């Protein structure tokens, strides 16, 4: 079978390699991979900007949808023919995160899924929603679940509340779709008026171009009276405006670093607004299963910017850094 391997940090060190199809050991399943989605994390890992104490060569990507070909001994929850998705945190099954539940994720600490076949522990997969194609289901594990836990477990978003979500990447558009399905109002920012028009088509109530208005957070507060939940994908470079956008008693779900990981800021606005900022690291398997039910109930279709072939997948990892996409980039086999 063919798989992609990263032999050393740097995108130019990604190559296709031919290896034997692996056999599942006890407690594992063998998947025939049908689709993978690419996350910003995958680009950071490949460039050595995420974690550097990981085993090389590494097969990239955490998120896939596939069909089970074979199961190892002791696997009773799944059978050959089942259509499943990978989970990002393989050992965070439920409850609040503990230190030993954030140690195993495909495409980083363990072998990833950009491969014609992949072996995963049976605990680290979940049934794919029947309402979704393989390409759509492959978008759920990281981007979908991160947005879902930001709005539910952390955000406690209620009907009539206001969500602010930054940019039009994978996490942000899931947040928009989930918020609208929950009956909330949604504000979306983007660097592109064309992308903002597409966000309005998806239900965004207000849109702000952050390139044209660097006080987009204050603009959001004026438009809405303050956001109840902010999906903070920008990080340190956007936090000041996110706090300006936040309503009294609001919650910032601190997720990404698209606008930088460190910077000068004062958290005093949180004191004044009796508000909070809370980190999110995707979610547990129990959260994933709740999201899957929600996606099915509300017939939510992940937004895919484009699907590429396995042969084009290395270029697609590079493309995520260009930021031209609206929603998810997917590799279909
Ligand atoms: N903590 C977690 O569990 C977790 C999980 C998933 C992702 N993440 C992180 O969250 C971030 C988003 O991930 P993703 O997969 O959604 O990425 P993505 O799909 O690559 O999103 C990229 C988009 O973000 C927007 N963006 C870039 N710079 C921005 C800025 N300065 N202000 C506002 N928006 C900006 C752009 O939207 P426009 O083109 O519309 O401007 C860009 O197209 C990344 O940093 C990722 O590593 C964290």
């Amino acid at each position: 079978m063919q798989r992609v391997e990263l032999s050393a940090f740097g995108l130019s060190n990604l190559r296709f390699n031919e290896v034997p199809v692996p056999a599942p050991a006890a407690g594992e399943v063998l998947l025939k991979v049908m689709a993978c989605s690419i996350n910003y994390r995958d680009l950071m890992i490949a460039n050595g900007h995420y974690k550097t104490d990981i085993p090389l060569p590494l097969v990239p990507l955490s998120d896939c949808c596939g069909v089970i070909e074979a199961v190892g001994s002791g696997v009773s929850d799944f059978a050959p023919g089942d259509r499943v998705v990978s989970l990002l945190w393989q050992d965070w099954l439920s409850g609040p995160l503990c230190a030993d539940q954030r140690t195993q994720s495909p495409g980083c600490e363990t072998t990833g899924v950009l491969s014609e076949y992949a072996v995963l522990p049976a605990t680290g997969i979940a049934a794919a929603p029947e309402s979704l194609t393989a390409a759509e289901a492959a978008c759920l594990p990281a981007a979908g679940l991160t947005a879902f836990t930001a709005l539910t477990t952390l955000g406690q978003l209620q009907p009539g509340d206001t969500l602010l979500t930054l940019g039009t990447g994978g996490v942000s558009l899931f947040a928009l779709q989930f918020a609208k399905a929950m009956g909330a109002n949604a504000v979306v920012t983007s660097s592109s008026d064309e992308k903002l028009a597409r966000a309005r088509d998806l239900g965004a109530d207000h849109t702000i171009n952050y390139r044209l208005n660097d006080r987009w957070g204050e603009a959001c507060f004026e438009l809405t009276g303050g956001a109840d939940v902010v999906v903070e994908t920008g990080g340190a470079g956007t936090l000041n405006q996110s706090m300006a956008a936040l309503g009294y008693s609001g919650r910032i779900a601190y997720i990404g670093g698209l606008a930088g990981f460190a910077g000068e800021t004062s958290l005093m606005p949180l004191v004044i607004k009796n508000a909070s900022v809370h980190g999110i690291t995707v979610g547990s398997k129990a959260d994933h299963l709740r999201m899957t039910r929600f996606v099915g109930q509300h017939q939510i279709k992940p937004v895919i910017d484009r699907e590429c072939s396995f042969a084009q997948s290395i270029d697609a990892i590079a493309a995520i850094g260009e930021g031209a996409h609206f929603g998810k980039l997917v590799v279909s086999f």
Side-chain angles (χ1 to χ4, degrees), residues 92-93 145 148-149 153 283-292:
W92 184 11
L93 300 184
L145 185 52
F148 191 73
T149 55
T153 315
S284 67
K285 183 169 186 172
D287 292 326
H288 180 99
L289 297 176
R290 282 194 304 122
M291 172 188 65
T292 299

Side-chain angles (χ1 to χ4, degrees), residues 248-250 269-276:
Y248 284 71
S249 303
L270 299 179
V271 175
I272 291 162
K273 292 179 173 174
N274 205 38
S276 63

Side-chain angles (χ1 to χ4, degrees), residues 186-243:
V187 185
V188 178
T189 68
S190 174
S191 56
S192 151
D193 285 342
E194 187 257 325
K195 289 182 177 181
L196 289 174
R198 293 171 73 183
R200 286 193 293 277
D201 290 343
L202 284 172
D205 299 278
H206 300 286
T207 55
I208 307 170
N209 187 317
Y210 65 81
R211 282 268 159 76
L212 302 180
N213 183 357
D214 61 4
R215 295 181 171 252
W216 47 267
E218 289 154 50
C220 173
F221 191 91
E222 279 161 29
L223 279 168
T224 64
D228 298 284
V229 177
V230 178
V231 167
E232 175 53 279
T233 52
T238 45
L239 185 59
N240 286 336
Q241 282 301 304
S242 290
M243 289 190 289

